[in-house]
mmCIF file of all heavy atoms in Angstrom:
data_model
loop_
_atom_site.group_PDB
_atom_site.id
_atom_site.type_symbol
_atom_site.label_atom_id
_atom_site.label_comp_id
_atom_site.label_asym_id
_atom_site.label_seq_id
_atom_site.Cartn_x
_atom_site.Cartn_y
_atom_site.Cartn_z
ATOM 1 N N LYS X 2 -3.454 6.549 12.259
ATOM 2 C CA LYS X 2 -4.020 5.327 12.786
ATOM 3 C C LYS X 2 -5.179 4.813 11.787
ATOM 4 O O LYS X 2 -6.046 5.615 11.410
ATOM 5 C CB LYS X 2 -4.538 5.514 14.214
ATOM 6 C CG LYS X 2 -5.253 4.315 14.729
ATOM 7 C CD LYS X 2 -5.877 4.710 16.108
ATOM 8 C CE LYS X 2 -6.647 3.499 16.608
ATOM 9 N NZ LYS X 2 -7.689 3.108 15.716
ATOM 10 N N GLN X 13 -22.511 -7.298 0.136
ATOM 11 C CA GLN X 13 -23.788 -7.408 0.831
ATOM 12 C C GLN X 13 -23.955 -8.964 1.191
ATOM 13 O O GLN X 13 -23.218 -9.828 0.687
ATOM 14 C CB GLN X 13 -24.941 -7.078 -0.121
ATOM 15 C CG GLN X 13 -24.819 -5.579 -0.570
ATOM 16 C CD GLN X 13 -24.846 -4.649 0.459
ATOM 17 O OE1 GLN X 13 -25.594 -4.665 1.436
ATOM 18 N NE2 GLN X 13 -23.935 -3.612 0.457
ATOM 19 N N SER X 14 -24.822 -9.208 2.105
ATOM 20 C CA SER X 14 -24.986 -10.563 2.627
ATOM 21 C C SER X 14 -25.311 -11.496 1.546
ATOM 22 O O SER X 14 -24.919 -12.703 1.637
ATOM 23 C CB SER X 14 -26.090 -10.599 3.696
ATOM 24 O OG SER X 14 -27.298 -10.118 3.200
ATOM 25 N N GLU X 15 -26.012 -11.155 0.473
ATOM 26 C CA GLU X 15 -26.404 -12.074 -0.572
ATOM 27 C C GLU X 15 -25.295 -12.192 -1.625
ATOM 28 O O GLU X 15 -25.479 -12.987 -2.586
ATOM 29 C CB GLU X 15 -27.737 -11.675 -1.159
ATOM 30 C CG GLU X 15 -27.693 -10.356 -1.949
ATOM 31 C CD GLU X 15 -27.882 -9.133 -1.058
ATOM 32 O OE1 GLU X 15 -27.778 -9.212 0.102
ATOM 33 O OE2 GLU X 15 -28.157 -8.050 -1.689
ATOM 34 N N ILE X 43 -3.720 -0.581 -9.495
ATOM 35 C CA ILE X 43 -3.584 0.850 -9.764
ATOM 36 C C ILE X 43 -3.420 1.068 -11.290
ATOM 37 O O ILE X 43 -2.395 0.791 -11.882
ATOM 38 C CB ILE X 43 -2.381 1.528 -9.001
ATOM 39 C CG1 ILE X 43 -2.549 1.174 -7.493
ATOM 40 C CG2 ILE X 43 -2.359 2.962 -9.233
ATOM 41 C CD1 ILE X 43 -3.695 1.700 -6.811
ATOM 42 N N LEU X 55 4.858 -1.500 6.112
ATOM 43 C CA LEU X 55 5.659 -1.091 4.942
ATOM 44 C C LEU X 55 5.284 0.268 4.424
ATOM 45 O O LEU X 55 4.098 0.500 4.161
ATOM 46 C CB LEU X 55 5.507 -2.148 3.811
ATOM 47 C CG LEU X 55 6.211 -1.744 2.509
ATOM 48 C CD1 LEU X 55 7.732 -1.920 2.624
ATOM 49 C CD2 LEU X 55 5.732 -2.552 1.313
ATOM 50 N N GLY X 62 0.163 0.633 -12.609
ATOM 51 C CA GLY X 62 0.462 -0.748 -12.973
ATOM 52 C C GLY X 62 0.525 -1.678 -11.911
ATOM 53 O O GLY X 62 0.406 -2.930 -12.194
ATOM 54 N N ILE X 65 -1.896 -5.383 -6.066
ATOM 55 C CA ILE X 65 -1.643 -5.768 -4.721
ATOM 56 C C ILE X 65 -2.836 -6.530 -4.230
ATOM 57 O O ILE X 65 -4.067 -6.202 -4.466
ATOM 58 C CB ILE X 65 -1.521 -4.486 -3.768
ATOM 59 C CG1 ILE X 65 -0.368 -3.602 -4.296
ATOM 60 C CG2 ILE X 65 -1.299 -4.898 -2.338
ATOM 61 C CD1 ILE X 65 1.019 -4.223 -4.193
ATOM 62 N N SER X 69 -7.257 -10.133 5.032
ATOM 63 C CA SER X 69 -8.193 -9.603 5.949
ATOM 64 C C SER X 69 -7.552 -8.753 7.102
ATOM 65 O O SER X 69 -6.529 -9.222 7.695
ATOM 66 C CB SER X 69 -9.015 -10.734 6.617
ATOM 67 O OG SER X 69 -9.969 -10.266 7.470
ATOM 68 N N THR X 78 -2.163 13.672 -3.576
ATOM 69 C CA THR X 78 -2.909 14.901 -3.419
ATOM 70 C C THR X 78 -3.272 15.496 -4.760
ATOM 71 O O THR X 78 -2.859 15.104 -5.817
ATOM 72 C CB THR X 78 -2.084 15.989 -2.729
ATOM 73 O OG1 THR X 78 -0.856 16.266 -3.514
ATOM 74 C CG2 THR X 78 -1.476 15.425 -1.361
ATOM 75 N N SER X 95 -10.792 -2.644 -8.163
ATOM 76 C CA SER X 95 -10.721 -3.425 -6.871
ATOM 77 C C SER X 95 -11.720 -4.525 -6.870
ATOM 78 O O SER X 95 -12.813 -4.447 -7.449
ATOM 79 C CB SER X 95 -10.965 -2.542 -5.653
ATOM 80 O OG SER X 95 -9.869 -1.656 -5.449
ATOM 81 N N SER X 101 -13.804 -15.737 4.930
ATOM 82 C CA SER X 101 -14.491 -16.935 5.607
ATOM 83 C C SER X 101 -15.672 -17.322 4.796
ATOM 84 O O SER X 101 -15.924 -18.572 4.598
ATOM 85 C CB SER X 101 -14.897 -16.432 7.001
ATOM 86 O OG SER X 101 -13.858 -16.091 7.793
ATOM 87 N N LEU X 103 -16.199 -16.963 1.536
ATOM 88 C CA LEU X 103 -15.795 -17.557 0.330
ATOM 89 C C LEU X 103 -15.279 -19.024 0.549
ATOM 90 O O LEU X 103 -15.677 -19.922 -0.205
ATOM 91 C CB LEU X 103 -14.585 -16.750 -0.279
ATOM 92 C CG LEU X 103 -14.029 -17.239 -1.598
ATOM 93 C CD1 LEU X 103 -15.025 -16.983 -2.755
ATOM 94 C CD2 LEU X 103 -12.657 -16.711 -1.894
ATOM 95 N N LEU X 150 -23.363 -16.079 -12.995
ATOM 96 C CA LEU X 150 -22.445 -17.174 -12.876
ATOM 97 C C LEU X 150 -21.044 -16.910 -13.508
ATOM 98 O O LEU X 150 -20.029 -17.282 -12.907
ATOM 99 C CB LEU X 150 -23.055 -18.427 -13.470
ATOM 100 C CG LEU X 150 -22.205 -19.731 -13.324
ATOM 101 C CD1 LEU X 150 -21.986 -20.033 -11.844
ATOM 102 C CD2 LEU X 150 -22.957 -20.907 -13.959
ATOM 103 N N GLU X 158 -11.121 -18.079 -11.355
ATOM 104 C CA GLU X 158 -9.942 -18.090 -12.173
ATOM 105 C C GLU X 158 -8.831 -17.189 -11.562
ATOM 106 O O GLU X 158 -7.709 -17.612 -11.437
ATOM 107 C CB GLU X 158 -10.274 -17.531 -13.493
ATOM 108 C CG GLU X 158 -11.019 -18.556 -14.472
ATOM 109 C CD GLU X 158 -11.157 -17.959 -15.854
ATOM 110 O OE1 GLU X 158 -10.089 -17.843 -16.506
ATOM 111 O OE2 GLU X 158 -12.287 -17.639 -16.273
ATOM 112 N N GLU X 167 4.254 -17.973 -8.105
ATOM 113 C CA GLU X 167 5.492 -18.011 -7.237
ATOM 114 C C GLU X 167 6.227 -16.693 -7.501
ATOM 115 O O GLU X 167 7.320 -16.603 -6.978
ATOM 116 C CB GLU X 167 6.304 -19.184 -7.567
ATOM 117 C CG GLU X 167 5.612 -20.556 -7.300
ATOM 118 C CD GLU X 167 6.527 -21.767 -7.515
ATOM 119 O OE1 GLU X 167 7.614 -21.469 -8.077
ATOM 120 O OE2 GLU X 167 6.101 -22.835 -7.165
ATOM 121 N N GLU X 202 11.443 17.971 3.727
ATOM 122 C CA GLU X 202 11.931 18.967 4.627
ATOM 123 C C GLU X 202 12.388 18.267 5.923
ATOM 124 O O GLU X 202 12.053 17.117 6.163
ATOM 125 C CB GLU X 202 10.806 20.022 4.903
ATOM 126 C CG GLU X 202 10.187 20.526 3.640
ATOM 127 C CD GLU X 202 11.157 21.352 2.804
ATOM 128 O OE1 GLU X 202 12.062 21.943 3.387
ATOM 129 O OE2 GLU X 202 10.921 21.305 1.538
ATOM 130 N N SER X 205 10.771 18.333 12.468
ATOM 131 C CA SER X 205 11.249 18.159 13.904
ATOM 132 C C SER X 205 10.299 17.357 14.677
ATOM 133 O O SER X 205 8.981 17.264 14.319
ATOM 134 C CB SER X 205 11.464 19.541 14.532
ATOM 135 O OG SER X 205 10.192 20.183 14.793
ATOM 136 N N ASN X 216 2.583 15.992 23.622
ATOM 137 C CA ASN X 216 3.962 16.378 23.871
ATOM 138 C C ASN X 216 4.888 15.353 23.208
ATOM 139 O O ASN X 216 4.404 14.268 22.826
ATOM 140 C CB ASN X 216 4.231 16.508 25.395
ATOM 141 C CG ASN X 216 4.097 15.150 26.176
ATOM 142 O OD1 ASN X 216 4.708 14.154 25.773
ATOM 143 N ND2 ASN X 216 3.350 15.173 27.252
ATOM 144 N N LEU X 247 12.898 7.656 -7.960
ATOM 145 C CA LEU X 247 13.839 8.544 -8.706
ATOM 146 C C LEU X 247 15.033 7.774 -9.275
ATOM 147 O O LEU X 247 15.481 8.123 -10.351
ATOM 148 C CB LEU X 247 14.376 9.642 -7.798
ATOM 149 C CG LEU X 247 13.294 10.667 -7.265
ATOM 150 C CD1 LEU X 247 13.929 11.669 -6.345
ATOM 151 C CD2 LEU X 247 12.461 11.313 -8.388
ATOM 152 N N SER X 254 21.315 12.163 -10.788
ATOM 153 C CA SER X 254 22.543 11.717 -10.061
ATOM 154 C C SER X 254 22.098 11.249 -8.616
ATOM 155 O O SER X 254 21.112 11.750 -8.077
ATOM 156 C CB SER X 254 23.557 12.777 -9.943
ATOM 157 O OG SER X 254 23.165 13.842 -9.054
ATOM 158 N N ASN X 265 20.253 15.423 4.347
ATOM 159 C CA ASN X 265 21.085 16.568 4.465
ATOM 160 C C ASN X 265 22.514 16.288 3.990
ATOM 161 O O ASN X 265 23.323 17.192 3.815
ATOM 162 C CB ASN X 265 21.126 17.225 5.801
ATOM 163 C CG ASN X 265 21.517 16.326 6.948
ATOM 164 O OD1 ASN X 265 22.050 15.188 6.612
ATOM 165 N ND2 ASN X 265 21.183 16.640 8.171
ATOM 166 N N PHE X 270 22.255 9.274 3.421
ATOM 167 C CA PHE X 270 21.360 8.720 2.391
ATOM 168 C C PHE X 270 21.866 7.317 2.034
ATOM 169 O O PHE X 270 21.032 6.355 2.071
ATOM 170 C CB PHE X 270 21.315 9.549 1.120
ATOM 171 C CG PHE X 270 20.627 8.922 -0.066
ATOM 172 C CD1 PHE X 270 19.282 8.667 0.024
ATOM 173 C CD2 PHE X 270 21.308 8.675 -1.229
ATOM 174 C CE1 PHE X 270 18.553 8.079 -1.070
ATOM 175 C CE2 PHE X 270 20.686 8.042 -2.283
ATOM 176 C CZ PHE X 270 19.356 7.811 -2.201
#
Side-chain angles (χ1 to χ4, degrees):
K2 176 186 176 298
Q13 304 299 316
S14 59
E15 68 274 14
I43 304 299
L55 175 72
I65 305 292
S69 183
T78 63
S95 290
S101 299
L103 179 76
L150 183 59
E158 285 187 67
E167 297 182 354
E202 309 299 327
S205 71
N216 66 50
L247 298 181
S254 74
N265 55 16
F270 172 65

